[in-house]
Amino acid sequence: MADKKKRRRADSDSDSASQPFKNLLKSDAQILQILKSVTSSSSSSTSKPLTLADLALSSTCREVSDLSLSSVQSTIESLVLQLTHQILSGQGFSFTVPSRSSSNQLYVPELDRIVLKDKSTVRPFSHISSVRKTTITAKILSLVHQLCLKNIHVTKRDLFYTDVKLFQDQVQSDAVLDDVSCILGCTRSSLNVIAAEKGVVVGRLIFSDNGDMIDCTKMGMGGKAIPPNIDRVGDMQSDALFILLVEKDAAYIRLAEDRFYNRFPCIIVTAKGQPDVATRLFLKKMKTELKLPVLALVDSDPYGLKILSVYGCGSKNMSYDSANLTTPDIKWLGIRPSDLDKYKIPEQCRLPMTEQDIKTGKDLLEEDFVKKNPGWVEELNLMVKTKQKAEIQALSSFGFQYLSEVYLPLKLQQQDWL
């Protein structure tokens, strides 16, 4: 009996803690009106996006493009012919590989993304330090050539298992696959090598997947798996007012089960953690075709902001394809460090930052793409100063549906994003 009273009292305390914020909420109709004004200003922009070719950069940069299978095939065959001439002329066998090291990356503020500069390295077969990697490169080129001839797709895992003894670890075959994209000057999807399905989407979106029409409002709580091959996606239609990009699967499930997208028309997408190529391509396609604002919901820690930056500015690992993989102008909706006090997140729901967390936060403060946004700098400084972090699930301390019923509606009402 005493335990029940304690539980009721705890529930009451939780309700009373969240009540002041509920009282701040306007009607759904009023919030929708606010969102419509934001969406109309976003879709009215008709200016053509800048490209590298439009800029007079002091450094020469390298970008890849989508190539047809026949073009990839002929490029590989031309490369093999060059290598044959090298060997026959006594120069030996080596690949010239664009460097993807940090020193060869450049953040371009005008494009708000990371690009690859033009430095290259030589990978000779005759040197003991590079003979194995050169062999792996030749093997990957051979396998991609087979895919071109057969016009089929395989996963990165399939590729790895063609020669486990040579590759040893999938990390190594994946890295060389990116090298091959750079060498050939094509996107990774042009190679017909895909990653396993990871990301999911739910909400106010209809699109065709290889000819089949998919209605994402009728996909249940789990949503629709994002197709690994973006080429088969088309005919996107939506009456959404925004795209909600969610870091975590748990938050995604909460919003999907609550049918948040029906209360506030939106498309909800997640890669369940680290962004994969298919989800990044799908998000870019939605943003480009539907012309909707993208709002990001990530954990209040340095890694949440890193994930957001990969979607927006690109990853250093795949900077060679940042033009295709990045979605410009993503807004940081939450959970932000300032939200911890603003929404009175209980101390027991906040986590102390580790030394590694603090170092990562300080490193992010040195990144040009962070410095460009004063709001991000302010939030990151607050995080490093307080040495506190919190996950999206910390909002559940006010009730399991607090995220969808109070926090997000209030954020949208106040247009509280950076």
Side-chain angles (χ1 to χ4, degrees):
M1 202 56 188
D3 288 342
K4 287 183 179 178
K5 285 182 180 178
K6 284 181 182 176
R7 280 199 297 272
R8 279 199 296 270
R9 189 159 54 247
D11 291 341
S12 176
D13 290 344
S14 178
D15 290 341
S16 63
S18 62
Q19 195 61 46
F21 300 106
K22 285 185 181 178
N23 291 341
L24 292 173
L25 281 173
K26 295 181 179 180
S27 68
D28 286 1
Q30 289 174 302
I31 298 174
L32 286 171
Q33 199 58 44
I34 294 169
L35 287 173
K36 284 175 183 175
S37 66
V38 173
T39 305
S40 62
S41 63
S42 175
S43 59
S44 62
S45 176
T46 56
S47 58
K48 186 182 175 184
L50 282 174
T51 66
L52 267 180
D54 299 323
L55 305 175
L57 298 177
S58 56
S59 301
T60 306
C61 297
R62 182 190 304 268
E63 279 192 321
V64 298
S65 57
D66 281 315
L67 295 181
S68 65
L69 279 185
S70 59
S71 297
V72 173
Q73 180 184 332
S74 62
T75 305
I76 292 173
E77 289 168 356
S78 297
L79 177 61
V80 171
L81 196 59
Q82 290 173 23
L83 293 172
T84 305
H85 284 308
Q86 276 183 25
I87 295 167
L88 292 175
S89 63
Q91 297 175 42
F93 169 32
S94 64
F95 291 105
T96 301
V97 184
S99 170
R100 292 186 293 117
S101 65
S102 296
S103 60
N104 201 39
Q105 315 276 345
L106 176 69
Y107 172 73
V108 183
E110 297 89 343
L111 303 176
D112 193 22
R113 58 183 172 87
I114 301 167
V115 299
L116 191 68
K117 293 194 283 187
D118 66 342
K119 181 184 174 184
S120 295
T121 58
V122 177
R123 189 174 291 172
F125 182 75
S126 59
H127 201 287
I128 192 168
S129 65
S130 57
V131 59
R132 189 170 157 275
K133 206 162 188 179
T134 307
T135 306
I136 292 174
T137 306
K139 177 70 174 179
I140 296 288
L141 281 165
S142 171
L143 293 169
V144 170
H145 190 258
Q146 288 181 41
L147 297 178
C148 294
L149 292 173
K150 296 178 180 179
N151 191 16
I152 58 173
H153 291 80
V154 297
T155 66
K156 293 191 293 181
R157 195 68 176 166
D158 289 328
L159 210 67
F160 167 67
Y161 271 104
T162 59
D163 199 332
V164 176
K165 288 187 177 179
L166 173 62
F167 298 139
Q168 294 181 1
D169 189 311
Q170 191 180 327
V171 172
Q172 297 187 44
S173 57
D174 287 355
V176 172
L177 184 65
D178 285 324
D179 288 340
V180 165
S181 288
C182 290
I183 292 169
L184 301 178
C186 67
T187 62
R188 205 175 73 186
S189 53
S190 298
L191 304 178
N192 273 17
V193 181
I194 57 178
E197 290 180 346
K198 181 187 175 191
V200 286
V201 61
V202 74
R204 310 290 273 263
L205 175 69
I206 297 173
F207 68 93
S208 65
D209 181 359
N210 207 26
D212 299 323
M213 294 308 295
I214 307 296
D215 185 345
C216 294
T217 61
K218 299 176 180 177
M219 291 291 110
M221 223 171 77
K224 169 73 173 79
I226 291 173
N229 182 4
I230 196 67
D231 294 337
R232 73 187 198 192
V233 174
D235 303 319
M236 285 188 167
Q237 306 164 40
S238 177
D239 63 350
L241 297 176
F242 62 97
I243 298 166
L244 185 59
L245 176 63
V246 182
E247 176 189 349
K248 294 282 192 68
D249 192 31
Y252 169 88
I253 290 171
R254 174 77 276 128
L255 295 168
E257 185 176 35
D258 290 348
R259 298 290 195 270
F260 182 79
Y261 51 82
N262 284 336
R263 183 180 174 190
F264 301 104
C266 66
I267 303 164
I268 307 172
V269 63
T270 183
K272 304 178 183 180
Q274 286 295 332
D276 60 306
V277 169
T279 304
R280 291 166 67 186
L281 287 169
F282 192 82
L283 180 66
K284 172 69 177 285
K285 191 175 183 70
M286 285 196 295
K287 168 78 173 179
T288 304
E289 295 193 5
L290 303 175
K291 294 181 171 52
L292 294 174
V294 181
L295 308 178
L297 180 67
V298 298
D299 287 340
S300 178
D301 63 24
Y303 307 103
L305 190 55
K306 281 187 80 170
I307 285 171
L308 170 53
S309 70
V310 168
Y311 282 112
C313 306
S315 64
K316 292 183 177 179
N317 189 45
M318 295 191 73
S319 57
Y320 65 88
D321 195 14
S322 64
N324 296 300
L325 292 173
T326 54
T327 301
D329 200 30
I330 298 178
K331 303 300 185 184
W332 186 8
L333 184 66
I335 305 289
R336 300 205 300 271
S338 59
D339 288 344
L340 304 191
D341 285 340
K342 180 180 177 180
Y343 288 88
K344 298 180 175 20
I345 303 294
E347 286 295 328
Q348 65 268 25
C349 298
R350 307 183 191 192
L351 300 169
M353 290 175 69
T354 64
E355 289 302 318
Q356 184 58 47
D357 291 337
I358 295 169
K359 181 183 182 301
T360 303
K362 288 179 178 178
D363 288 345
L364 276 172
L365 283 166
E366 298 302 315
E367 295 285 0
D368 290 332
F369 60 80
V370 172
K371 290 178 182 177
K372 184 186 178 185
N373 193 323
W376 287 27
V377 173
E378 187 178 339
E379 293 286 350
L380 259 178
N381 274 322
L382 178 62
M383 186 191 298
V384 171
K385 180 183 175 182
T386 59
K387 298 182 180 179
Q388 287 186 324
K389 60 182 180 179
E391 296 185 7
I392 301 168
Q393 283 67 45
L395 295 169
S396 297
S397 60
F398 300 124
F400 293 123
Q401 293 178 296
Y402 185 77
L403 173 68
S404 56
E405 292 185 351
V406 180
Y407 179 78
L408 286 178
L410 194 56
K411 281 275 187 178
L412 296 173
Q413 173 184 307
Q414 298 173 343
Q415 299 182 52
D416 183 17
W417 50 71
L418 296 174

